Amino acid sequence: MYARLNDIVTNLKGLGEVYPPQEVVRKVLRSLPNNWEAKKTTIEEFKDLNTFELEDLIGKLMTYEIEVQVDGGVEVVEKKKKDVAFKATTKRKTVMMRLAQWKVKASWRKVLQIFVSWLKRITTMMRRQ
């Protein structure tokens, strides 16, 4: 991270855009994600950002990252869990309409209707337990 940031700052200097070190430190702090908010606030409040060096900031951030990974405490950075939702259709009319769309023979349609109603009763009984 530091090498890439240093390359960007150096290339900007080559193009005539000079950023003072304090401005680079503020920009790095501003670019941190939300789960680093506690560390970011601590640095901003307890360090004088006008005299704070970029190397010190990178060192503190790397130390914090290692602590989070090793301890598993201090506001653990967690992977986002993806939830899956299914649309439930429990109305009898919906099931019957689908059976009618399948173009099933009338005798098989009746068997399927009986099976579906039996399956609903079993699932209802299992939910109650």
Side-chain angles (χ1 to χ4, degrees), residues 110-121:
K110 184 64 179 171
V111 170
L112 286 173
Q113 287 174 352
I114 293 169
F115 176 73
V116 167
S117 63
W118 174 80
L119 190 61
K120 284 183 180 180
R121 274 188 259 134

Side-chain angles (χ1 to χ4, degrees), residues 4 6 15 25 27 37 39 73 76 82 90 96 98-99 110 123:
R4 185 171 172 207
N6 200 18
L15 295 172
V25 168
K27 285 184 180 287
E37 192 67 35
K39 186 63 175 177
V76 178
K82 295 183 180 180
T90 57
M96 298 309 160
R98 286 190 181 161
L99 289 176
K110 184 64 179 171
T123 54

Side-chain angles (χ1 to χ4, degrees), residues 44-80:
E44 287 174 344
E45 293 205 4
F46 293 108
K47 299 291 181 184
D48 182 16
L49 295 183
N50 293 325
T51 59
F52 199 54
E53 295 291 325
L54 182 62
E55 293 81 14
D56 295 335
L57 174 66
I58 299 298
K60 292 207 177 291
L61 294 177
M62 289 174 69
T63 304
Y64 179 73
E65 185 176 30
I66 291 170
E67 286 175 1
V68 168
Q69 288 176 355
V70 171
D71 292 343
V74 199
E75 293 191 38
V76 178
V77 180
E78 295 182 10
K79 293 181 181 178
K80 293 183 179 178

Side-chain angles (χ1 to χ4, degrees), residues 14-53:
L15 295 172
E17 188 73 30
V18 179
Y19 283 102
Q22 300 83 11
E23 186 66 28
V24 176
V25 168
R26 284 188 177 91
K27 285 184 180 287
V28 169
L29 285 174
R30 202 175 323 134
S31 70
L32 292 174
N34 289 339
N35 55 353
W36 287 71
E37 192 67 35
K39 186 63 175 177
K40 182 169 115 175
T41 305
T42 304
I43 291 173
E44 287 174 344
E45 293 205 4
F46 293 108
K47 299 291 181 184
D48 182 16
L49 295 183
N50 293 325
T51 59
F52 199 54
E53 295 291 325

